Amino acid sequence: MSAPQKKSPLLPMAAGCIAGGIEATAVWPMEFIKTQLQLQSKAKGAKPPYTGMIGGLTYTVQTTGFLSLYRGLAPTLIGSIPKAGIRFGLNAVIKDKLRDKDGKLTMGKNFIAGLGAGVSEALIIVAPVETVKTKCIETNAPFVEGLKHIIKTEGIGGVYQGAAATALKQGSNQGLRFMWFNKYKDIVTNHGEKEMTPLLGL
């Protein structure tokens, strides 16, 4: 049995970029309020204007308008779009390298492919962008100003605070995600004999 022809990683990379942008935009208001709640918990003496997600969303819309819920989204999009592209594109590359002569992958190899993609996205994108994103929200500054502030006060190493923990989290997360998704895909498509519909892919 001949091995299947290797596919270009550009298609999963492009699909990942699009999906990453949509995902980031959809969940950003909740991420914004979550960060605000974390910053409020660090403030001493001041009574927070809200203590929960619904209260935070309501308070923000009433006081500063709906669009203010998307403050700080730009750096997240800058990170989320290439992050998802790296995740899916690199996962496809690693999977092709790990296939056996029949083009098959074990669950362990799918985990390794996801692990490699997750660690790479963490070190290249997630760790620095998350650090700058939090600083932007804290100081109400644009992305470039937040980046300049971190480099000026903490040096370039400040951008990579917590990078090791982030890499461990992203690597294990994506490893397990891709491993079980591919197992699920094999089950619902009967190992490729049936078509994988978008609904099943959800």
Side-chain angles (χ1 to χ4, degrees):
M1 181 178 179
S2 60
Q5 186 178 4
K6 292 184 178 180
K7 299 178 181 179
S8 170
L10 294 179
L11 181 59
M13 184 178 293
C17 287
I18 295 170
I22 294 172
E23 176 190 5
T25 303
V27 304
W28 180 249
M30 290 175 286
E31 180 69 20
F32 174 82
I33 297 300
K34 184 195 79 173
T35 305
Q36 291 288 354
L37 289 169
Q38 290 171 337
L39 295 173
Q40 285 181 11
S41 67
K42 297 178 181 179
K44 296 181 179 179
K47 183 179 180 180
Y50 51 86
T51 57
M53 183 64 65
I54 301 299
L57 291 169
T58 303
Y59 175 84
T60 302
V61 171
Q62 290 177 345
T63 56
T64 55
F66 176 78
L67 291 180
S68 65
L69 289 172
Y70 288 90
R71 193 171 68 221
L73 174 61
T76 299
L77 284 177
I78 291 170
S80 293
I81 292 174
K83 176 184 74 174
I86 290 170
R87 177 192 306 164
F88 286 94
L90 191 55
N91 178 257
V93 171
I94 298 174
K95 282 170 64 176
D96 278 341
K97 298 293 184 183
L98 295 176
R99 293 184 190 278
D100 62 20
K101 61 181 180 180
D102 295 324
K104 297 185 180 298
L105 288 163
T106 64
M107 288 183 68
K109 287 182 177 180
N110 274 315
F111 176 80
I112 291 172
L115 176 69
V119 169
S120 298
E121 73 174 63
L123 297 178
I124 296 171
I125 301 293
V126 179
V129 168
E130 285 295 310
T131 301
V132 177
K133 179 200 76 174
T134 302
K135 182 61 66 176
C136 288
I137 294 176
E138 182 180 1
T139 60
N140 194 22
F143 182 80
V144 174
E145 292 302 317
L147 177 60
K148 287 180 178 178
H149 178 80
I150 292 173
I151 294 175
K152 182 179 179 180
T153 57
E154 305 174 41
I156 190 66
V159 178
Y160 284 92
Q161 287 182 353
T166 302
L168 180 63
K169 182 187 78 170
Q170 291 293 120
S172 58
N173 183 14
Q174 299 309 325
L176 291 169
R177 176 177 294 177
F178 279 109
M179 180 182 75
W180 288 113
F181 175 76
N182 281 284
K183 184 63 176 178
Y184 164 79
K185 183 179 177 181
D186 282 343
I187 293 171
V188 299
T189 64
N190 195 19
H191 299 280
E193 293 183 7
K194 299 178 182 178
E195 185 180 354
M196 183 72 169
T197 65
L199 182 60
L200 289 174
L202 291 175

